[in-house]
Amino acid sequence: MSRLVIEGGHPLHGSIPIHGAKNAVLPILAATVLCSNGVSIIENCPELKDVAITIEILKELGAKVARSGSTLTIDARGRLGSRIPERLMRELRSSVIFMGAIVARKHKAKISMPGGCELGPRPIDLHIKALEGLGCSIKEQKGYLHIDAHKLHATQLTLDFPSVGATENIMLASCLSEGVTVVENVAQEPEIVDLANFLNAMGAKIRGAGSPRLEIEGVRRLFGTSYRIMPDRIAAVTYLCCGAVTGGSITLTEVIPAHIETALSVLSECGCQIETTENSIRLQAPARLRAPALIKTTPYPGFPTDAQSLFLALLCTTEGTGKIQEQIFKSRFKPVSELIKMGAVITVENDTAVITGVPALSGTKVFARDLRGGAALVIAGLGATGITEVENVCYIDRGYEKLEENLTRLGAVIQRKE
């Protein structure tokens, strides 16, 4: 097992580009299954563990996939399968988005329940309910979902919650159906817009992405195209938190500041000076951060749940007391016990964490239990005194490309050891 060994106390300085977005590239790769004419060329595709698993799923279905640097070429023109085995599904929760793509292309699917990071109850009831509304018949047998989509049709839906995954599955399943599907209360995340833009580039007719209402006019077939993945907004927030907690000055390039306005606002409230252009962010941190007002996670355009753990680590050494209320995933506070081992003063009651800032954390051995929680421990280690060892780096590798190399470029003292 790999671990990251971090010598804290080194302010970060310099500039790095932000890689392609994990949460955008995975549904877009699933969408290539819909392309029966031509090949899909996906640029700015990061080298991540989750991407590697998604590529395995594509190959298992019968698609041909080739990588050259950060560009993937996917040929799904041949006869594709409709089954994803448990060994792949259990590795990746977002693999559930293949459900919509497969039923649209093959009119049937057999998949096991998805796995991935354990963040508390994340039922796929919304996905199932939405697909049934589109005409799918879904039965569960021995841990597998058997989906019959021979009567797929356009409809009108209203989601009980603006689920990103359910919104993506609806888009994928309905873009090849007959008629116009209208969906209310959909997710508005930038990754939803990226998926819609990719599908439209292939010939789909999707309107309203980025708003609470989607209209998907079905087409007969989709065609090959080239598409560049948007930058990863959560990776951007992660590096900004790394710079802030060390009292550093860093610049991010190949980023879209508009995607992380809520996080930038909190960093400003903490005392950081933020300067942005259309595709860059510069952060200058004070000697010590101050605690912000209540941080409350909500669906986009609110504060992202994926950034909650990152700010949990950041607040450990601020001046004053901060609060974070988690309203999306119940188990986002997993890093708390590890941060307390480093000297953090944190109490959690129900969905709210209260963090009383201390002058500094102390390095020790800590264990990542999920992707963003692992990144939070790296942030804490960079700002701590002494040596921090972060175990279970496999979680971090799910969503960050060359994390330690980028941090080293910024002046961090960090090594990966087996």
Side-chain angles (χ1 to χ4, degrees):
M1 297 288 289
S2 297
R3 69 186 191 279
L4 292 177
V5 181
I6 305 164
E7 181 181 286
H10 298 275
L12 302 189
H13 298 282
S15 174
I16 57 168
I18 297 301
H19 59 70
K22 175 185 87 79
N23 291 336
V25 71
L26 301 185
I28 284 174
L29 289 179
T32 63
V33 169
L34 300 172
C35 180
S36 57
N37 291 267
V39 299
S40 303
I41 300 174
I42 311 300
E43 300 173 349
N44 199 31
C45 181
E47 292 191 43
L48 307 173
K49 182 179 178 182
D50 280 9
V51 171
I53 297 168
T54 304
I55 290 172
E56 282 191 58
I57 292 174
L58 286 169
K59 291 180 177 178
E60 178 73 23
L61 291 172
K64 299 175 182 178
V65 185
R67 179 187 276 276
S68 177
S70 62
T71 299
L72 288 180
T73 302
I74 300 101
D75 185 348
R77 290 177 293 182
R79 294 185 61 185
L80 298 186
S82 58
R83 177 182 178 275
I84 303 177
E86 179 186 4
R87 65 179 177 83
L88 292 176
M89 290 294 294
R90 68 187 178 196
E91 291 287 329
L92 183 65
R93 175 162 292 275
S94 58
S95 56
V96 72
I97 56 176
F98 273 93
M99 191 159 55
I102 294 172
V103 297
R105 173 74 182 269
K106 299 292 294 182
H107 304 293
K108 63 178 181 179
K110 179 183 177 182
I111 65 172
S112 71
M113 300 296 285
C117 291
E118 294 298 330
L119 296 173
R122 291 198 285 177
I124 62 170
D125 297 6
L126 290 175
H127 302 247
I128 293 173
K129 183 178 179 181
L131 290 178
E132 286 178 337
L134 290 167
C136 294
S137 171
I138 303 176
K139 297 180 180 179
E140 182 180 355
Q141 294 179 345
K142 298 180 179 180
Y144 276 84
L145 294 175
H146 297 258
I147 308 166
D148 183 343
H150 285 288
K151 297 180 180 179
L152 205 62
H153 57 74
T155 189
Q156 292 191 353
L157 300 169
T158 299
L159 293 182
D160 298 330
F161 178 83
S163 161
V164 173
T167 301
E168 291 167 344
N169 256 326
I170 292 169
M171 294 166 66
L172 294 169
S174 60
C175 62
L176 292 179
S177 65
E178 293 186 8
V180 178
T181 294
V182 178
V183 196
E184 304 281 357
N185 196 35
V186 297
Q188 302 174 55
E189 274 75 359
E191 293 81 5
I192 295 294
V193 178
D194 220 33
L195 176 59
N197 289 342
F198 173 67
L199 289 168
N200 286 341
M202 288 201 297
K205 295 181 179 179
I206 301 174
R207 297 178 291 274
S211 78
R213 185 177 191 269
L214 277 178
E215 292 184 6
I216 306 118
E217 182 180 348
V219 298
R220 292 189 63 185
R221 58 182 57 182
L222 298 178
F223 303 86
T225 190
S226 295
Y227 192 79
R228 183 173 179 82
I229 300 297
M230 61 173 269
D232 195 309
R233 60 193 175 104
I234 305 302
V237 175
T238 302
Y239 287 113
L240 291 172
C241 287
C242 290
V245 80
T246 62
S249 174
I250 66 170
T251 298
L252 306 182
T253 60
E254 300 180 33
V255 65
I256 302 176
H259 288 173
I260 56 171
E261 287 182 348
T262 53
L264 293 178
S265 177
V266 174
L267 287 168
S268 294
E269 194 177 345
C270 290
C272 296
Q273 295 180 15
I274 307 288
E275 298 176 6
T276 64
T277 68
E278 186 177 357
N279 56 9
S280 73
I281 303 171
R282 182 180 182 276
L283 175 142
Q284 173 69 60
R288 187 178 183 188
L289 302 167
R290 58 177 179 264
L294 174 66
I295 297 173
K296 184 185 296 186
T297 65
T298 57
Y300 191 87
F303 190 90
T305 181
D306 277 352
Q308 183 262 94
S309 296
L310 313 178
F311 277 83
L312 181 68
L314 184 79
L315 267 57
C316 288
T317 53
T318 57
E319 186 175 3
T321 299
K323 292 183 179 181
I324 300 178
Q325 185 178 9
E326 174 56 58
Q327 300 188 113
I328 310 297
F329 293 131
K330 293 182 179 180
S331 296
R332 280 285 192 196
F333 292 131
K334 282 187 177 181
V336 167
S337 60
E338 302 303 298
L339 292 169
I340 289 175
K341 286 165 60 176
M342 299 178 70
V345 179
I346 306 171
T347 58
V348 178
E349 186 173 348
N350 298 323
D351 62 356
T352 302
V354 179
I355 308 100
T356 302
V358 298
L361 299 179
S362 299
T364 188
K365 181 180 288 188
V366 290
F367 295 83
R369 291 185 171 87
D370 58 60
L371 167 56
R372 306 305 174 186
L377 297 177
V378 172
I379 293 169
L382 290 169
T385 60
I387 304 296
T388 300
E389 295 187 17
V390 181
E391 302 279 359
N392 297 341
V393 180
C394 57
Y395 284 111
I396 298 172
D397 291 339
R398 297 179 71 99
Y400 295 94
E401 182 181 66
K402 301 177 182 178
L403 178 66
E404 64 270 26
E405 292 182 29
N406 285 326
L407 290 173
T408 298
R409 285 176 57 184
L410 294 172
V413 178
I414 178 172
Q415 288 184 321
R416 179 182 292 251
K417 294 188 177 180
E418 297 299 325

